[in-house]
Amino acid sequence: MTDTSAAARSVTALCEALGGDTVLSGAGAAAYRLGGTVPAAAVLARDESDVSRTLAMAFRDRLGVVPWGAGVHQCLGRLPSRYDVALDLRRLNRVLAYEPADMTVTVQAGLRLADLQQRLGEAGQFWPLDPPLADRATVGGVLAAGLAGPLRCRYGTVRDLVLGVRVAHADGTITKAGSRVVKNATAYDLTKLYAGAYGTLGVLLEATLRLQPRPMEERGWCLTGATIEQCHDAAMRILGSHLAPNRLELLDEACAEHCGIAAAATAVVSFAGVREAVRHQGAGVRSMAGEFGLQAGEIENPARVWG
């Protein structure tokens, strides 16, 4: 942290530059506590100009800035060594461009992932990520933390599903990387640098995302009746086969119990697509389970396992 007088001067300067309704201090800034540290100010950015000016002033005054989305994943990674200003991006929450035919969408970083999925669902599409706390997380937070979820088994990670980003750097300069089209082979793919960088390389302002059709049906099975090693062998057999699972995970006894499965160890797998294909793959996984001495039972409540 900077000394108290310097921080007070910086808060005053931010209020003068951005307006008092945009800058919080005192009790308002306390909501942005990280560990035992409370920032001197929190900026509720209204647009990318506010972000740029905040960063430029912080750069000039040598202040530490932490980007803030919904705040649900701020516990990941190391705590910052300097924390003077929280930069709240939740007002940057618009869908900027949506092309269902191209299966791409460009959104601002403060958009909630749940709101994005609802919008895309109207066209039968989705951004195929299911990270922890997806109902509260923002797109920018998911990107910055590099979060995926069990769906990465089929669709890949965040880096595979982002086509381009717009970023504000430490001195307030705004740049972009990647593009808004699926096919882009120009220069280095800098987009992947920002995914999983926890905001250390710049503040994400917007992102262009690669979409997928929402499956017509999804069903899951649990493979039980043996040791975790046998479940692992069965899982590897599934991954190396003609089957195309949506999700595939190994659960120990505690995790299985939490998911409502009574087993010492289990593998859980789901398939998605048209109904006939899902049934065919379900029959395939039941056959493979028998090869390893496992019982395959359909999961009655998939939301409890993957929800």
Side-chain angles (χ1 to χ4, degrees):
M1 280 290 292
T2 54
D3 63 80
T4 305
S5 60
R9 289 195 298 272
S10 298
V11 171
T12 300
L14 283 169
C15 288
E16 292 175 351
L18 305 176
D21 60 335
T22 303
V23 182
L24 304 178
S25 59
Y32 298 85
R33 177 189 301 271
L34 277 182
T37 304
V38 174
V43 175
L44 308 179
R46 297 161 296 188
D47 51 35
E48 67 176 34
S49 175
D50 282 353
V51 175
S52 178
R53 285 192 290 172
T54 299
L55 292 174
M57 294 176 67
F59 187 78
R60 180 196 66 196
D61 296 339
R62 302 180 65 82
L63 302 178
V65 178
V66 172
W68 197 283
V72 296
H73 295 119
Q74 291 287 14
C75 60
L76 300 178
R78 297 181 60 183
L79 291 173
S81 58
R82 294 274 304 281
Y83 182 27
D84 304 296
V85 178
L87 183 52
D88 191 323
L89 302 169
R90 283 176 292 181
R91 291 182 176 179
L92 280 69
N93 58 8
R94 294 187 296 124
V95 175
L96 301 175
Y98 179 28
E99 300 294 341
D102 295 336
M103 302 191 72
T104 62
V105 65
T106 301
V107 302
Q108 291 183 307
L111 180 66
R112 282 199 322 142
L113 179 57
D115 294 336
L116 171 63
Q117 301 288 34
Q118 182 177 358
R119 169 74 181 276
L120 299 176
E122 296 171 1
Q125 297 177 349
F126 76 132
W127 193 35
L129 289 176
D130 52 351
L133 304 174
D135 58 327
R136 289 185 283 158
T138 62
V139 172
V142 170
L143 287 176
L147 299 171
L151 280 177
R152 65 186 178 273
C153 179
R154 178 171 181 178
Y155 298 103
T157 64
V158 170
R159 293 183 177 185
D160 302 308
L161 298 168
V162 180
L163 301 172
V165 293
R166 188 172 172 85
V167 180
H169 296 276
D171 63 353
T173 302
I174 295 177
T175 64
K176 64 179 181 178
S179 70
R180 290 191 176 186
V181 296
V182 174
K183 293 185 178 180
N184 176 42
T186 304
Y188 297 105
D189 190 1
L190 297 178
T191 302
K192 290 182 170 57
L193 287 177
Y194 299 106
Y198 294 95
T200 58
L201 301 179
V203 178
L204 291 164
L205 298 173
E206 63 182 60
T208 299
L209 312 175
R210 184 196 303 267
L211 308 178
Q212 292 289 339
R214 185 176 293 278
M216 296 178 61
E217 180 174 320
E218 182 173 10
R219 296 167 65 182
W221 284 264
C222 59
L223 312 184
T224 61
T227 64
I228 193 68
E229 289 79 13
Q230 288 171 297
C231 290
H232 172 270
D233 291 342
M236 296 305 295
R237 173 77 169 83
I238 293 170
L239 290 175
S241 72
H242 66 283
L243 301 178
N246 238 28
R247 302 175 172 97
L248 177 58
E249 296 187 290
L250 298 178
L251 307 180
D252 61 15
E253 184 174 3
C255 289
E257 181 180 359
H258 180 76
C259 294
I261 302 171
T266 184
V268 289
V269 59
S270 73
F271 299 98
V274 297
R275 180 171 300 177
E276 293 76 10
V278 171
R279 289 178 176 175
H280 175 74
Q281 297 204 72
V285 81
R286 288 194 296 270
S287 176
M288 289 182 187
E291 298 176 15
F292 294 87
L294 304 175
Q295 291 81 48
E298 188 165 354
I299 298 174
E300 296 182 1
N301 186 9
R304 186 171 179 182
V305 178
W306 292 293

